[in-house]
Coordinates of all heavy atoms in Angstrom, one line a residue:
M1 N 2.6 -24.0 -103.3 CA 3.3 -23.2 -104.2 C 3.1 -21.7 -103.8 O 1.8 -21.5 -103.5 CB 2.8 -23.3 -105.6 CG 3.6 -22.6 -106.6 SD 3.5 -23.4 -108.3 CE 2.0 -22.7 -108.9
P2 N 3.9 -20.8 -103.7 CA 3.7 -19.4 -103.3 C 3.0 -18.7 -104.4 O 2.9 -19.1 -105.6 CB 5.1 -18.8 -103.2 CG 6.0 -19.7 -104.0 CD 5.4 -21.0 -104.0
H3 N 2.1 -17.7 -104.0 CA 1.4 -17.0 -105.0 C 2.1 -15.9 -105.7 O 2.1 -15.6 -106.9 CB 0.2 -16.2 -104.3 CG -0.9 -17.1 -103.8 ND1 -1.8 -17.6 -104.7 CD2 -1.2 -17.5 -102.6 CE1 -2.6 -18.4 -104.0 NE2 -2.2 -18.4 -102.7
L4 N 3.3 -15.4 -105.0 CA 4.2 -14.5 -105.5 C 5.5 -14.7 -104.9 O 5.8 -14.9 -103.6 CB 3.8 -13.1 -105.2 CG 4.7 -12.0 -105.7 CD1 4.8 -11.9 -107.2 CD2 4.3 -10.6 -105.1
T5 N 6.5 -14.7 -105.8 CA 8.0 -14.9 -105.4 C 8.8 -14.2 -106.5 O 8.4 -13.8 -107.6 CB 8.3 -16.3 -105.1 OG1 9.7 -16.3 -104.5 CG2 8.4 -17.1 -106.4
W6 N 10.1 -14.1 -106.2 CA 11.0 -13.6 -107.2 C 12.3 -14.3 -107.2 O 12.7 -14.9 -106.2 CB 11.1 -12.1 -107.1 CG 12.0 -11.6 -106.0 CD1 13.3 -11.4 -106.0 CD2 11.6 -11.4 -104.6 NE1 13.8 -11.1 -104.8 CE2 12.7 -11.0 -103.8 CE3 10.4 -11.4 -104.0 CZ2 12.6 -10.6 -102.6 CZ3 10.3 -11.1 -102.6 CH2 11.4 -10.8 -101.9
W7 N 12.9 -14.1 -108.2 CA 14.2 -14.7 -108.4 C 15.2 -13.6 -108.8 O 15.0 -13.1 -110.0 CB 14.3 -16.0 -109.3 CG 15.5 -16.5 -109.7 CD1 16.6 -16.9 -108.8 CD2 16.0 -16.8 -111.0 NE1 17.6 -17.4 -109.6 CE2 17.3 -17.4 -110.9 CE3 15.5 -16.7 -112.3 CZ2 18.2 -17.9 -111.9 CZ3 16.3 -17.1 -113.3 CH2 17.5 -17.7 -113.2
A8 N 16.1 -13.3 -108.2 CA 17.1 -12.2 -108.5 C 18.4 -12.9 -109.1 O 19.0 -13.6 -108.1 CB 17.3 -11.3 -107.4
N9 N 18.8 -12.6 -110.2 CA 20.0 -13.2 -110.8 C 21.0 -12.1 -110.9 O 20.9 -11.3 -111.9 CB 19.7 -13.8 -112.1 CG 21.0 -14.7 -112.5 OD1 22.0 -14.4 -111.9 ND2 20.7 -15.6 -113.6
V10 N 22.0 -12.0 -110.0 CA 23.0 -10.7 -110.0 C 24.2 -11.1 -110.8 O 25.0 -10.3 -110.9 CB 23.2 -10.2 -108.6 CG1 22.0 -9.9 -108.0 CG2 24.0 -11.3 -107.9
V11 N 24.2 -12.4 -111.4 CA 25.4 -12.7 -112.0 C 25.8 -11.9 -113.2 O 27.0 -11.5 -113.4 CB 25.5 -14.2 -112.3 CG1 24.5 -14.6 -113.4 CG2 26.9 -14.7 -112.8
T12 N 24.8 -11.5 -113.9 CA 25.1 -10.6 -115.1 C 25.6 -9.2 -114.6 O 26.5 -8.7 -115.3 CB 23.9 -10.5 -116.1 OG1 22.7 -10.0 -115.3 CG2 23.5 -11.7 -116.7
D13 N 24.9 -8.7 -113.6 CA 25.4 -7.4 -113.2 C 26.8 -7.5 -112.6 O 27.5 -6.6 -113.0 CB 24.5 -6.9 -112.0 CG 24.7 -5.4 -111.6 OD1 24.5 -4.7 -112.6 OD2 25.1 -5.2 -110.5
A14 N 27.1 -8.4 -111.9 CA 28.4 -8.6 -111.3 C 29.6 -8.8 -112.5 O 30.6 -8.3 -112.5 CB 28.6 -9.8 -110.4
G15 N 29.3 -9.6 -113.5 CA 30.0 -9.8 -114.6 C 30.3 -8.7 -115.4 O 31.5 -8.4 -115.8
H16 N 29.4 -7.8 -115.7 CA 29.6 -6.6 -116.5 C 30.3 -5.6 -115.7 O 31.1 -4.9 -116.2 CB 28.1 -6.1 -117.0 CG 27.7 -6.9 -118.1 ND1 27.1 -8.1 -118.0 CD2 27.6 -6.6 -119.5 CE1 26.8 -8.6 -119.2 NE2 27.1 -7.7 -120.0
H17 N 29.9 -5.4 -114.5 CA 30.6 -4.5 -113.5 C 32.2 -4.8 -113.5 O 33.0 -4.0 -113.5 CB 30.2 -4.3 -112.1 CG 28.9 -3.3 -112.1 ND1 28.9 -2.2 -112.2 CD2 27.6 -3.7 -111.9 CE1 27.8 -1.5 -112.2 NE2 26.9 -2.5 -112.0
G18 N 32.3 -6.1 -113.3 CA 33.7 -6.7 -113.1 C 34.6 -6.6 -114.2 O 35.8 -6.3 -114.3
G19 N 34.0 -6.9 -115.4 CA 34.9 -6.9 -116.7 C 34.5 -5.9 -117.7 O 35.3 -5.8 -118.6
G20 N 33.5 -5.2 -117.6 CA 33.2 -4.1 -118.5 C 32.4 -4.7 -119.7 O 32.4 -5.9 -119.8
P21 N 31.6 -3.8 -120.3 CA 30.7 -4.3 -121.4 C 31.5 -5.0 -122.5 O 32.5 -4.7 -122.8 CB 30.1 -3.0 -122.0 CG 30.4 -1.9 -121.0 CD 31.4 -2.3 -120.1
R22 N 30.8 -6.1 -122.9 CA 31.4 -6.9 -124.0 C 32.7 -7.7 -123.7 O 33.3 -8.2 -124.5 CB 31.6 -6.1 -125.3 CG 30.3 -5.5 -125.8 CD 30.6 -4.3 -126.9 NE 29.4 -3.6 -127.1 CZ 28.6 -3.8 -128.2 NH1 28.8 -4.7 -129.0 NH2 27.6 -3.0 -128.3
S23 N 33.0 -7.6 -122.5 CA 34.2 -8.2 -122.0 C 34.1 -9.8 -122.0 O 32.7 -10.3 -121.9 CB 34.6 -7.9 -120.6 OG 33.8 -8.2 -119.7
D24 N 35.0 -10.6 -122.0 CA 34.9 -12.1 -121.7 C 34.2 -12.4 -120.6 O 33.3 -13.3 -120.4 CB 36.3 -12.7 -121.7 CG 36.9 -12.7 -123.0 OD1 36.2 -12.5 -124.1 OD2 38.2 -13.0 -123.0
L25 N 34.4 -11.7 -119.4 CA 33.7 -12.0 -118.1 C 32.4 -11.6 -118.2 O 31.4 -12.3 -117.7 CB 34.3 -11.0 -117.1 CG 33.7 -11.2 -115.6 CD1 33.9 -12.7 -115.0 CD2 34.5 -10.3 -114.6
A26 N 31.9 -10.6 -118.9 CA 30.6 -10.2 -119.2 C 29.8 -11.2 -120.0 O 28.8 -11.6 -119.6 CB 30.5 -8.7 -119.9
R27 N 30.5 -11.7 -121.0 CA 29.9 -12.8 -121.9 C 29.7 -14.0 -121.1 O 28.7 -14.7 -121.2 CB 30.7 -13.0 -123.1 CG 30.6 -11.8 -124.1 CD 31.6 -12.1 -125.3 NE 31.7 -10.8 -126.0 CZ 30.8 -10.3 -126.9 NH1 29.7 -10.9 -127.2 NH2 31.1 -9.1 -127.6
A28 N 30.8 -14.3 -120.2 CA 30.6 -15.6 -119.4 C 29.5 -15.4 -118.4 O 28.7 -16.5 -118.1 CB 31.9 -15.8 -118.7
S29 N 29.3 -14.3 -117.9 CA 28.2 -14.0 -117.0 C 26.9 -14.2 -117.6 O 25.9 -14.7 -117.0 CB 28.3 -12.7 -116.3 OG 27.9 -11.6 -117.1
L30 N 26.7 -13.8 -118.8 CA 25.5 -14.1 -119.6 C 25.2 -15.5 -119.9 O 24.1 -16.0 -119.6 CB 25.4 -13.3 -121.0 CG 25.4 -11.7 -120.9 CD1 25.7 -11.1 -122.3 CD2 24.0 -11.3 -120.4
R31 N 26.2 -16.2 -120.2 CA 26.1 -17.7 -120.4 C 25.7 -18.3 -119.1 O 24.8 -19.3 -119.0 CB 27.4 -18.3 -121.0 CG 27.6 -18.1 -122.3 CD 28.8 -18.8 -123.1 NE 30.0 -18.5 -122.4 CZ 30.8 -17.4 -123.0 NH1 30.3 -16.8 -124.1 NH2 31.9 -17.2 -122.3
Q32 N 26.4 -17.9 -118.0 CA 26.0 -18.5 -116.6 C 24.5 -18.2 -116.3 O 23.9 -19.0 -115.8 CB 27.0 -18.0 -115.6 CG 26.7 -18.6 -114.1 CD 26.7 -20.1 -114.1 OE1 25.9 -20.6 -113.4 NE2 27.7 -20.7 -114.8
S33 N 24.2 -17.0 -116.5 CA 22.8 -16.6 -116.1 C 21.7 -17.3 -116.9 O 20.8 -17.9 -116.4 CB 22.7 -15.1 -116.5 OG 21.4 -14.7 -116.1
D34 N 22.1 -17.6 -118.3 CA 21.2 -18.4 -119.1 C 21.1 -19.7 -118.5 O 20.0 -20.3 -118.6 CB 21.7 -18.3 -120.5 CG 20.8 -18.9 -121.5 OD1 19.6 -18.5 -121.6 OD2 21.1 -19.9 -122.2
A35 N 22.3 -20.3 -118.1 CA 22.1 -21.8 -117.6 C 21.4 -21.9 -116.4 O 20.7 -22.8 -116.2 CB 23.7 -22.2 -117.5
R36 N 21.5 -20.8 -115.5 CA 20.8 -20.8 -114.3 C 19.3 -20.8 -114.6 O 18.5 -21.4 -113.8 CB 21.2 -19.6 -113.4 CG 22.6 -19.9 -112.8 CD 23.0 -18.7 -112.0 NE 24.5 -18.7 -111.6 CZ 24.9 -18.0 -110.6 NH1 24.4 -17.2 -109.9 NH2 26.2 -18.2 -110.3
L37 N 18.9 -19.8 -115.5 CA 17.5 -19.7 -115.9 C 17.0 -21.1 -116.4 O 15.9 -21.6 -116.1 CB 17.3 -18.7 -116.8 CG 15.9 -18.4 -117.3 CD1 15.0 -18.2 -116.2 CD2 15.8 -17.3 -118.3
G38 N 17.8 -21.9 -117.2 CA 17.4 -23.0 -117.7 C 17.2 -24.1 -116.7 O 16.2 -24.9 -116.7
A39 N 18.1 -24.0 -115.7 CA 17.9 -25.0 -114.5 C 16.7 -24.7 -113.8 O 15.9 -25.7 -113.3 CB 19.1 -25.0 -113.6
F40 N 16.3 -23.5 -113.6 CA 15.2 -23.0 -113.0 C 14.0 -23.5 -113.7 O 13.0 -24.0 -113.2 CB 15.2 -21.6 -112.7 CG 13.9 -21.0 -112.0 CD1 13.6 -21.5 -110.8 CD2 13.1 -20.1 -112.7 CE1 12.4 -20.8 -110.1 CE2 11.9 -19.6 -112.0 CZ 11.6 -20.0 -110.7
L41 N 13.9 -23.3 -115.0 CA 12.8 -23.7 -115.9 C 12.7 -25.2 -115.9 O 11.5 -25.8 -115.9 CB 12.9 -23.1 -117.3 CG 12.8 -21.6 -117.4 CD1 13.2 -21.1 -118.8 CD2 11.5 -21.2 -116.9
D42 N 13.8 -25.9 -115.9 CA 13.7 -27.4 -115.8 C 13.1 -27.8 -114.6 O 12.3 -28.9 -114.6 CB 15.1 -28.0 -116.0 CG 15.7 -27.9 -117.4 OD1 14.9 -27.5 -118.4 OD2 16.9 -28.0 -117.6
H43 N 13.5 -27.2 -113.5 CA 12.8 -27.5 -112.1 C 11.3 -27.2 -112.1 O 10.6 -28.2 -111.7 CB 13.5 -26.7 -111.0 CG 13.0 -26.9 -109.7 ND1 13.2 -28.1 -109.0 CD2 12.2 -26.1 -108.9 CE1 12.6 -28.0 -107.9 NE2 12.0 -26.9 -107.8
L44 N 10.9 -26.2 -112.7 CA 9.4 -26.0 -112.8 C 8.8 -27.0 -113.7 O 7.7 -27.5 -113.4 CB 9.1 -24.6 -113.4 CG 9.5 -23.4 -112.4 CD1 9.3 -22.0 -113.2 CD2 8.9 -23.5 -111.1
D45 N 9.5 -27.4 -114.8 CA 8.9 -28.5 -115.6 C 8.8 -29.7 -114.9 O 7.8 -30.5 -114.9 CB 9.8 -28.7 -116.9 CG 9.6 -27.5 -118.0 OD1 8.6 -26.9 -117.8 OD2 10.5 -27.5 -118.8
A46 N 9.9 -30.1 -114.1 CA 9.9 -31.4 -113.3 C 8.7 -31.4 -112.3 O 8.2 -32.5 -112.0 CB 11.1 -31.5 -112.7
L47 N 8.5 -30.2 -111.7 CA 7.2 -30.1 -110.8 C 6.0 -30.1 -111.5 O 4.9 -30.2 -110.8 CB 7.4 -28.8 -109.9 CG 8.5 -28.8 -109.0 CD1 8.8 -27.3 -108.4 CD2 8.6 -29.9 -107.9
G48 N 6.0 -29.8 -112.8 CA 4.7 -29.8 -113.6 C 3.9 -28.5 -113.3 O 2.6 -28.6 -113.5
V49 N 4.7 -27.5 -113.1 CA 3.8 -26.2 -112.7 C 4.1 -25.1 -113.7 O 3.6 -24.0 -113.5 CB 4.1 -25.8 -111.3 CG1 3.7 -26.9 -110.3 CG2 5.6 -25.4 -111.1
T50 N 5.0 -25.4 -114.6 CA 5.4 -24.3 -115.6 C 4.2 -23.6 -116.1 O 4.2 -22.3 -116.2 CB 6.4 -24.8 -116.6 OG1 7.4 -25.5 -116.1 CG2 6.9 -23.6 -117.5
D51 N 3.3 -24.2 -116.6 CA 2.0 -23.6 -117.2 C 1.2 -22.7 -116.3 O 0.3 -22.0 -116.7 CB 1.1 -24.6 -117.8 CG 1.8 -25.2 -119.1 OD1 2.7 -24.6 -119.7 OD2 1.4 -26.3 -119.6
R52 N 1.5 -22.9 -115.0 CA 0.8 -22.0 -114.0 C 1.6 -20.8 -113.4 O 1.2 -20.3 -112.6 CB 0.4 -23.0 -112.8 CG -0.5 -24.1 -113.2 CD -0.8 -25.1 -112.1 NE -1.1 -24.4 -110.8 CZ -1.0 -25.0 -109.6 NH1 -0.5 -26.1 -109.6 NH2 -1.3 -24.2 -108.6
V53 N 2.8 -20.6 -114.2 CA 3.6 -19.4 -113.7 C 3.5 -18.4 -114.7 O 3.7 -18.6 -115.9 CB 5.1 -20.0 -113.4 CG1 6.0 -18.9 -113.0 CG2 5.0 -21.3 -112.4
T54 N 3.5 -17.2 -114.2 CA 3.7 -16.0 -115.0 C 5.1 -15.5 -114.7 O 5.5 -15.1 -113.6 CB 2.6 -15.0 -114.6 OG1 1.4 -15.4 -114.9 CG2 2.7 -13.7 -115.5
F55 N 5.7 -15.2 -115.7 CA 7.1 -14.6 -115.7 C 7.2 -13.2 -116.1 O 6.7 -12.8 -117.1 CB 8.1 -15.4 -116.5 CG 8.2 -16.8 -116.2 CD1 7.5 -17.7 -116.8 CD2 9.2 -17.1 -115.3 CE1 7.6 -19.1 -116.4 CE2 9.5 -18.5 -114.9 CZ 8.6 -19.5 -115.7
V56 N 7.8 -12.4 -115.1 CA 8.1 -10.9 -115.5 C 9.5 -10.8 -115.4 O 10.1 -10.9 -114.3 CB 7.3 -10.0 -114.4 CG1 7.6 -8.5 -114.7 CG2 5.8 -10.2 -114.4
V57 N 10.1 -10.4 -116.5 CA 11.6 -10.2 -116.6 C 11.9 -8.7 -116.6 O 11.4 -8.0 -117.5 CB 12.0 -11.0 -117.9 CG1 13.6 -10.9 -117.9 CG2 11.7 -12.4 -117.8
T58 N 12.9 -8.4 -115.7 CA 13.2 -7.0 -115.6 C 14.7 -6.9 -115.6 O 15.3 -7.9 -115.4 CB 12.7 -6.2 -114.5 OG1 13.2 -6.8 -113.3 CG2 11.2 -6.3 -114.5
A59 N 15.3 -5.8 -115.7 CA 16.7 -5.6 -115.5 C 16.9 -4.3 -114.7 O 16.1 -3.4 -114.7 CB 17.4 -5.4 -116.8
D60 N 18.0 -4.3 -114.0 CA 18.2 -3.0 -113.2 C 18.7 -2.0 -114.0 O 18.4 -0.8 -114.0 CB 19.1 -3.4 -112.0 CG 20.5 -3.8 -112.4 OD1 20.7 -4.3 -113.5 OD2 21.4 -3.7 -111.5
H61 N 19.6 -2.2 -115.0 CA 20.1 -1.2 -115.8 C 21.0 -1.9 -117.0 O 21.2 -3.1 -116.9 CB 21.0 -0.2 -115.1 CG 22.3 -0.8 -114.5 ND1 23.5 -1.0 -115.2 CD2 22.5 -1.4 -113.3 CE1 24.4 -1.6 -114.4 NE2 23.8 -1.9 -113.2
G62 N 21.4 -1.1 -118.0 CA 22.2 -1.8 -119.0 C 23.5 -1.1 -119.0 O 23.7 -0.2 -118.3
F63 N 24.3 -1.4 -120.1 CA 25.7 -0.8 -120.1 C 25.9 0.0 -121.5 O 26.9 0.4 -121.6 CB 26.7 -1.9 -120.1 CG 27.0 -2.3 -118.6 CD1 26.2 -3.2 -117.9 CD2 28.0 -1.6 -117.9 CE1 26.6 -3.4 -116.6 CE2 28.2 -1.9 -116.6 CZ 27.5 -2.8 -115.9
E64 N 24.9 -0.1 -122.3 CA 24.9 0.6 -123.7 C 24.2 2.0 -123.3 O 23.3 2.1 -122.6 CB 24.2 -0.1 -124.6 CG 24.9 -1.5 -124.9 CD 26.4 -1.4 -125.5 OE1 26.6 -0.3 -126.0 OE2 27.1 -2.4 -125.4
G65 N 24.7 3.0 -124.1 CA 24.0 4.3 -124.1 C 22.7 4.3 -124.7 O 22.5 3.3 -125.7
S66 N 21.7 4.9 -124.3 CA 20.4 5.1 -124.9 C 20.4 5.8 -126.2 O 21.3 6.7 -126.4 CB 19.4 5.4 -123.9 OG 19.7 6.8 -123.6
D67 N 19.5 5.5 -127.1 CA 19.4 6.2 -128.3 C 18.6 7.5 -128.0 O 17.4 7.3 -127.8 CB 18.8 5.4 -129.4 CG 18.6 6.0 -130.7 OD1 18.8 7.3 -130.8 OD2 18.4 5.3 -131.7
P68 N 19.2 8.7 -128.2 CA 18.4 9.8 -127.8 C 17.3 10.1 -128.7 O 16.4 11.0 -128.4 CB 19.5 11.0 -127.8 CG 20.5 10.4 -128.8 CD 20.5 9.0 -128.6
Q69 N 17.3 9.4 -129.9 CA 16.2 9.5 -130.8 C 15.0 8.9 -130.5 O 13.7 9.0 -131.0 CB 16.5 9.2 -132.3 CG 17.8 10.0 -132.8 CD 17.5 11.5 -132.8 OE1 16.4 11.9 -133.3 NE2 18.5 12.2 -132.3
V70 N 15.1 7.9 -129.6 CA 14.0 7.1 -129.2 C 13.2 7.6 -128.1 O 13.8 7.7 -126.9 CB 14.5 5.6 -128.9 CG1 13.2 4.8 -128.3 CG2 15.2 4.9 -130.0
R71 N 12.1 8.1 -128.3 CA 11.3 8.7 -127.3 C 9.9 8.2 -127.3 O 9.5 7.6 -128.3 CB 11.2 10.2 -127.5 CG 12.5 11.0 -127.4 CD 12.4 12.4 -127.3 NE 13.7 13.1 -127.3 CZ 14.5 13.1 -126.2 NH1 14.1 12.7 -125.2 NH2 15.6 13.8 -126.4
G72 N 9.2 8.4 -126.2 CA 7.8 7.7 -126.2 C 7.3 7.6 -124.9 O 7.8 8.1 -123.9
S73 N 6.1 6.9 -124.7 CA 5.4 6.8 -123.5 C 5.1 5.3 -123.3 O 4.7 4.7 -124.4 CB 4.3 7.7 -123.4 OG 3.5 7.5 -122.3
W74 N 5.0 4.9 -122.1 CA 4.6 3.5 -121.8 C 3.0 3.5 -121.7 O 2.5 2.5 -121.7 CB 5.1 3.1 -120.4 CG 6.6 2.7 -120.5 CD1 7.6 3.5 -120.0 CD2 7.1 1.5 -120.9 NE1 8.8 2.8 -120.2 CE2 8.6 1.5 -120.7 CE3 6.6 0.2 -121.4 CZ2 9.3 0.5 -121.0 CZ3 7.5 -0.7 -121.7 CH2 8.8 -0.6 -121.5
T75 N 2.5 4.7 -121.7 CA 1.1 4.8 -121.4 C 0.2 3.9 -122.3 O -0.7 3.2 -121.8 CB 0.6 6.3 -121.3 OG1 1.4 6.9 -120.3 CG2 -0.9 6.4 -121.0
P76 N 0.4 4.1 -123.6 CA -0.5 3.3 -124.4 C -0.4 1.8 -124.2 O -1.4 1.0 -124.2 CB -0.1 3.6 -125.9 CG 0.5 5.1 -125.8 CD 1.2 5.0 -124.4
A77 N 0.8 1.4 -124.1 CA 1.0 -0.2 -123.8 C 0.4 -0.6 -122.4 O -0.2 -1.7 -122.5 CB 2.5 -0.5 -123.9
L78 N 0.7 0.3 -121.4 CA 0.1 0.0 -120.0 C -1.4 0.1 -120.2 O -2.0 -0.8 -119.6 CB 0.7 0.9 -119.0 CG 2.2 0.8 -118.8 CD1 2.7 1.9 -117.9 CD2 2.4 -0.5 -118.1
D79 N -2.0 0.9 -120.8 CA -3.4 1.1 -120.8 C -4.0 -0.1 -121.6 O -5.1 -0.7 -121.3 CB -3.9 2.4 -121.5 CG -3.6 3.7 -120.8 OD1 -3.4 3.4 -119.5 OD2 -3.7 4.6 -121.2
A80 N -3.4 -0.6 -122.6 CA -3.9 -1.7 -123.4 C -3.9 -3.0 -122.5 O -4.6 -3.9 -123.0 CB -3.0 -1.9 -124.6
L81 N -3.1 -3.0 -121.5 CA -3.2 -4.2 -120.7 C -4.5 -4.4 -119.8 O -4.8 -5.6 -119.5 CB -1.9 -4.2 -119.5 CG -0.5 -4.2 -120.0 CD1 0.3 -4.1 -119.0 CD2 -0.3 -5.6 -120.8
G82 N -5.2 -3.2 -119.6 CA -6.4 -3.4 -118.9 C -6.3 -3.7 -117.5 O -7.3 -4.4 -117.0
I83 N -5.2 -3.5 -116.9 CA -5.0 -3.8 -115.4 C -4.7 -2.4 -114.8 O -4.2 -1.4 -115.4 CB -4.0 -4.7 -115.2 CG1 -2.7 -4.4 -115.7 CG2 -4.4 -6.2 -115.7 CD1 -1.5 -5.3 -115.3
S84 N -4.8 -2.4 -113.4 CA -4.5 -1.2 -112.7 C -3.1 -1.0 -112.6 O -2.3 -2.1 -112.3 CB -5.3 -1.1 -111.4 OG -6.6 -1.3 -111.4
Y85 N -2.5 0.1 -112.7 CA -1.1 0.4 -112.5 C -0.9 1.9 -112.1 O -1.8 2.7 -112.2 CB -0.3 0.2 -113.8 CG -0.5 1.1 -114.8 CD1 0.2 2.3 -115.1 CD2 -1.6 1.0 -115.8 CE1 0.0 3.3 -116.0 CE2 -1.9 2.0 -116.8 CZ -1.0 3.0 -116.9 OH -1.3 3.9 -117.9
R86 N 0.3 2.1 -111.5 CA 0.7 3.4 -111.2 C 1.9 3.8 -111.7 O 3.0 3.1 -111.4 CB 0.6 3.6 -109.6 CG 0.7 5.0 -109.2 CD 0.6 5.2 -107.7 NE 1.7 4.8 -107.0 CZ 1.7 4.1 -105.8 NH1 0.6 3.8 -105.3 NH2 2.9 3.7 -105.3
D87 N 2.1 4.7 -112.6 CA 3.4 5.0 -113.3 C 4.1 6.1 -112.5 O 3.6 7.3 -112.4 CB 3.2 5.5 -114.6 CG 4.4 5.6 -115.4 OD1 5.5 5.7 -114.8 OD2 4.3 5.7 -116.6
E88 N 5.2 5.7 -111.9 CA 5.9 6.6 -110.9 C 6.9 7.4 -111.6 O 7.6 8.3 -110.9 CB 6.5 5.9 -109.8 CG 5.5 5.3 -108.8 CD 4.7 6.3 -108.0 OE1 5.3 7.4 -107.7 OE2 3.6 6.0 -107.7
G89 N 7.1 7.3 -112.8 CA 8.2 8.0 -113.4 C 9.1 7.1 -114.3 O 8.7 5.9 -114.5
P90 N 10.2 7.5 -114.8 CA 11.0 6.8 -115.8 C 11.3 5.4 -115.3 O 12.0 5.3 -114.3 CB 12.2 7.6 -116.0 CG 11.8 9.0 -115.6 CD 10.7 8.9 -114.6
G91 N 10.6 4.4 -115.9 CA 11.1 3.0 -115.6 C 10.5 2.4 -114.3 O 10.7 1.3 -114.1
L92 N 9.7 3.2 -113.5 CA 9.1 2.5 -112.3 C 7.6 2.5 -112.4 O 6.9 3.6 -112.4 CB 9.6 3.3 -111.1 CG 9.2 2.8 -109.8 CD1 9.8 1.3 -109.6 CD2 9.7 3.6 -108.7
V93 N 7.0 1.2 -112.6 CA 5.6 1.1 -112.6 C 5.2 0.0 -111.7 O 5.8 -1.0 -111.5 CB 5.2 0.7 -114.0 CG1 3.7 0.5 -114.2 CG2 5.6 1.7 -115.1
Y94 N 4.2 0.5 -110.7 CA 3.6 -0.4 -110.0 C 2.3 -1.0 -110.5 O 1.5 -0.3 -111.1 CB 3.1 0.2 -108.5 CG 4.2 0.7 -107.8 CD1 4.8 1.9 -107.8 CD2 4.9 -0.2 -106.9 CE1 5.8 2.3 -107.1 CE2 5.9 0.1 -106.1 CZ 6.5 1.4 -106.1 OH 7.4 1.8 -105.3
F95 N 2.2 -2.4 -110.6 CA 1.0 -3.0 -111.1 C 0.1 -3.3 -109.7 O 0.6 -3.9 -108.8 CB 1.4 -4.3 -111.6 CG 2.1 -4.2 -113.0 CD1 3.5 -4.3 -113.0 CD2 1.4 -3.7 -114.2 CE1 4.1 -4.1 -114.3 CE2 2.0 -3.5 -115.3 CZ 3.4 -3.6 -115.3
L96 N -1.1 -2.7 -109.8 CA -1.9 -2.8 -108.7 C -2.9 -3.9 -108.7 O -3.3 -4.6 -109.7 CB -2.7 -1.5 -108.4 CG -1.8 -0.2 -108.4 CD1 -2.7 1.0 -108.6 CD2 -0.8 -0.1 -107.3
Ligands
LIG1 ZN1 24.9 -2.9 -111.7

């Protein structure tokens, strides 16, 4: 089993770019992405390794505008993790 790997699921990005936010295509892409994640988790369960896997879920971007009233810093939450990190700016954090 690898120590580190990643799984990139671009179906939601393609669906939203292709059909636009809240479109039938976008919603279908979410259902498909959910099904693919379910198959992946079922596979890990079948291998008996799910409890040994740490999942980090990220997104490349969203399609809704951000709420300008929501401001803040990741620093307190990152500091509370008790692990080394480097915050490179909006949305880009390296865990060391
Ligand atoms: Zn995109």
